[in-house]
Amino acid sequence: MPKKSIQDLANDELKGKRVLVRCDLNVPLDGKTITDDTRIRSSIPTIEFLKSKGAIVTVCSHLGRPKDGPEDKFSLGPCAEHMGKLLEQTVTLAPDCIGDEVAKIVGDASEGDVIMLENTRFYKEETKNDPEFGKKLAAPFEIFVNDAFGTAHRAHASTEGVTKYLSTSVSGFLLAKELEYLDGAVQNGKSPMAAIVGGSKVSSKITVLDALLDKCDKIIIGGGMVFTFLKAQGHNVGTSLVEDDFVATAKGVLEKAELLGKQVHLPSDIVIANAFSADAETQIVASDAIPDGWMGLDNGPNATAEHQEILSDCKTVIMNGPMGVFEFEKFNKGTFGIVKILADITDKGAITIIGGGDSVAACEQSGLASRMSHISTGGGASLELLEGKVLPGVAALADQ
């Protein structure tokens, strides 16, 4: 059942109302300096919309993993200041996220004002989804908006608990867009549909691989997990990364694909190196001819050419994980190559979805991020949604 979003609320349902917005402001910091403001920028459209409707907006979020109560290095102060610059107005940082002082700041605010509560994880009760804490967090507000897709897979007080005390609980623009693309692709993506699953470990991707095998016509496997699959096929993999405990699992995936008549594509050639290093010696070999003492760190050029052919007729493509160690220049061609292919097929009308984590970083670094249909802001949440799991922070919102 689709979830209600802020766009489903009438003007009089928002004007003058005290709205609590759960954003994902868990940004990387160097001291007090924000090194990547993507998450803050992503939250602005929802806040601007609520302001334009005359709402009194209060933002809450976690930042980092404080161990025992408030820690200055995890204060949301830098986020409030930066959000103020983006909104071109003062964003008042409350000294806490619950209590009388917060209630007074919210109660005294005017339409169009923006307040930010201090880090919700300064309280252990947040991650335990403690009902009493959820009630205190919700107390000053009339409406709840969840716009934090990155934490929607967690049942925390600020993502799920507060909805029990605020009868109007809806999604913001960011969360709605994530659901539209990720959930939309999984439930009814246009065929032919392909999934590109990369990264170093089969163990962390096996559930999503299994789920995508049911939904997709073609699966491209890349990254370190390739070598567990090659070993499952009986090939020598030299000193490449292998999860021996998952060789049988990889074999099972290949057997299931055959049973379903689906195509699983492993790279035909590999860039190998004599060490895991940016300046290692390299050579390109067939994937079934990796010599002893060498490790695979990227797809070869033939594999990238094959990927172009495989993806050329696809209408929906989901990418989760890189094709190699793209952080090293010598081993970035496989990943950047497939990102370029995705940009080109997007231009021709395909829907391309980049599902969190390293894939997003690869798109950003290649300079092609803006050409994708959708870039997901959630790592774990993206994976769980692609696996077909119900996300607690989404399930708690009102149905349309």
Side-chain angles (χ1 to χ4, degrees), residues 28 36 38-39 205 319-328 332 335-340 342 353-370 372 374-379 382:
D36 180 356
T38 306
R39 286 177 170 171
K205 296 286 172 86
M319 179 176 178
N320 189 284
M323 300 292 98
V325 187
F326 71 95
E327 297 86 350
F328 296 158
N332 67 13
T335 302
F336 289 176
I338 211 161
V339 167
K340 172 75 167 71
L342 293 185
I353 299 158
I354 310 300
D358 285 340
S359 324
V360 176
C363 285
E364 300 284 0
Q365 282 178 34
S366 67
L368 298 171
S370 62
M372 305 299 159
H374 180 64
I375 294 203
S376 179
T377 53
S382 307

Side-chain angles (χ1 to χ4, degrees), residues 86-393:
L86 295 172
L87 290 169
E88 297 181 348
Q89 73 180 83
T90 302
V91 173
T92 306
L93 180 70
D96 204 333
C97 61
I98 55 171
D100 295 341
E101 212 172 339
V102 170
K104 180 169 171 31
I105 292 169
V106 174
D108 290 347
S110 307
E111 291 181 11
D113 283 356
V114 180
I115 299 155
M116 189 178 291
L117 303 183
E118 191 47 284
N119 195 337
T120 54
R121 284 198 193 168
F122 283 168
Y123 290 86
K124 282 196 170 75
E125 293 86 343
E126 153 74 334
T127 53
K128 289 176 182 164
N129 200 5
D130 177 80
E132 201 50 42
F133 178 72
K135 191 175 183 180
K136 287 176 185 172
L137 189 58
F141 305 102
E142 298 162 282
I143 293 170
F144 175 64
V145 175
N146 192 348
D147 211 24
F149 179 69
T151 52
H153 60 313
R154 309 259 184 243
H156 290 172
S158 68
T159 59
E160 198 264 353
V162 289
T163 64
K164 295 178 173 68
Y165 308 99
L166 294 167
S167 57
T168 303
S169 293
V170 299
S171 74
F173 290 130
L174 185 64
L175 185 65
K177 189 179 179 218
E178 293 278 10
L179 295 176
E180 178 197 338
Y181 276 98
L182 284 167
D183 210 27
V186 171
Q187 302 310 327
N188 43 27
K190 282 186 180 170
S191 279
M193 187 170 169
I196 300 161
V197 183
S200 55
K201 293 182 172 179
V202 177
S203 53
S204 62
K205 296 286 172 86
I206 189 61
T207 325
V208 77
L209 249 179
D210 209 42
L212 290 172
L213 203 50
D214 290 329
K215 307 277 182 190
C216 296
D217 306 294
K218 310 171 184 187
I219 304 258
I220 289 173
I221 292 174
M225 58 197 287
V226 160
F227 305 103
T228 303
F229 278 89
L230 290 176
K231 191 164 184 180
Q233 291 179 327
H235 301 307
N236 184 40
V237 293
T239 55
S240 305
L241 177 73
V242 169
E243 289 179 287
D244 285 316
D245 294 351
F246 284 85
V247 170
T249 310
K251 202 174 269 185
V253 169
L254 296 171
E255 285 165 2
K256 179 181 173 178
E258 202 171 333
L259 209 61
L260 294 172
K262 304 287 178 83
Q263 305 167 18
V264 172
H265 300 276
L266 291 162
S268 58
D269 61 344
I270 304 275
V271 180
I272 59 170
N274 62 351
F276 187 84
S277 158
D279 51 10
E281 271 183 57
T282 65
Q283 51 177 310
I284 297 164
V285 297
S287 55
D288 59 0
I290 300 170
D292 292 340
W294 290 74
M295 63 180 75
L297 294 181
D298 193 16
N299 287 344
N302 291 344
T304 303
E306 284 156 18
H307 292 160
Q308 188 160 9
E309 182 62 34
I310 292 158
L311 297 169
S312 62
D313 65 339
C314 289
K315 296 280 187 287
T316 310
V317 183
I318 299 162
M319 179 176 178
N320 189 284
M323 300 292 98
V325 187
F326 71 95
E327 297 86 350
F328 296 158
E329 199 178 332
K330 282 187 176 183
F331 311 111
N332 67 13
K333 291 181 185 63
T335 302
F336 289 176
I338 211 161
V339 167
K340 172 75 167 71
I341 294 164
L342 293 185
D344 290 343
I345 65 168
T346 312
D347 292 346
K348 291 173 185 160
I351 298 290
T352 50
I353 299 158
I354 310 300
D358 285 340
S359 324
V360 176
C363 285
E364 300 284 0
Q365 282 178 34
S366 67
L368 298 171
S370 62
R371 288 174 61 192
M372 305 299 159
S373 307
H374 180 64
I375 294 203
S376 179
T377 53
S382 307
L383 266 182
E384 291 197 14
L385 200 55
L386 293 174
E387 284 166 13
K389 288 181 182 170
V390 172
L391 308 184

